[in-house]
Amino acid sequence: MTDAADADSPESDHLRVHYGMSGSVPLRLFEFVFEPAGCYVLDCGGFTPMFDLARGRHTRRAAHVDAVYHDHGLAGLLASADTVTWFAWERVERVVLHNGGRFTRPKLRVVTGAETPSPSVRLHDVDVAALSTALERFEERVRVERSAGAGLL
């Protein structure tokens, strides 16, 4: 799910990408917030397969994070995350959006230099075409690539 703030809002210059999952055990819930100066990557919690995923805790946590954003805006979202990482566009080589192909979920990756890990998540409940269009507004600052397929490599 992507969520651009209302045009009349002071936060209308950002694009939020909601409900990305990454990792193995535990899986991590991530949010991305793209802004004119860079990108926030928010780690919003970890989940184990047996005790959390099987009981839907990840879905409830994603809904809670969404409610925090709608009630308190970007400041509330940043405060509620377990960790927040800021990447200025100068540190980002490109943003890659894979459509997921036939068998996997779409994938979003912020490719940084060799000095820092490049965050990469599988997206849940996202309209890839709408997200691709929304990312166009950042193409003057960072290269945005769109790719068909799973994005395994």
Side-chain angles (χ1 to χ4, degrees):
M1 175 182 331
T2 59
D3 189 13
D6 295 331
D8 296 330
S9 166
E11 298 176 328
S12 64
D13 60 344
H14 72 261
L15 170 71
R16 175 177 163 243
V17 181
H18 173 63
Y19 201 176
M21 300 288 289
S22 182
S24 53
V25 177
L27 282 169
R28 308 291 305 173
L29 173 66
F30 284 91
E31 301 267 324
F32 287 76
V33 179
F34 295 95
E35 294 202 330
C39 174
Y40 286 107
V41 179
L42 294 83
D43 180 344
C44 297
F47 306 94
T48 60
M50 183 172 285
F51 297 107
D52 296 324
L53 296 179
R55 295 183 175 141
R57 185 169 173 246
H58 62 299
T59 304
R60 288 192 304 276
R61 176 67 175 151
H64 171 75
V65 168
D66 198 36
V68 167
Y69 175 75
H70 287 291
D71 292 345
H72 304 286
L74 182 57
L77 186 64
L78 295 171
S80 72
D82 290 353
T83 59
V84 176
T85 305
W86 169 254
F87 293 105
W89 288 131
E90 295 79 32
R91 293 181 52 204
V92 176
E93 292 178 10
R94 65 189 183 278
V95 175
V96 183
L97 177 62
H98 298 274
N99 70 3
R102 293 178 87 179
F103 301 108
T104 63
R105 294 184 183 275
K107 182 178 182 180
L108 178 66
R109 184 172 181 213
V110 175
V111 180
T112 61
E115 71 280 354
T116 56
S118 297
S120 174
V121 298
R122 293 286 174 187
L123 300 172
H124 294 242
D125 301 327
V126 69
D127 178 345
V128 176
L131 177 55
S132 179
T133 300
L135 285 170
E136 287 177 1
R137 73 174 118 159
F138 299 100
E139 288 184 323
E140 293 178 7
R141 296 169 182 89
V142 67
R143 187 172 69 187
V144 177
E145 295 178 2
R146 292 144 188 94
S147 177
L152 297 176
L153 301 176

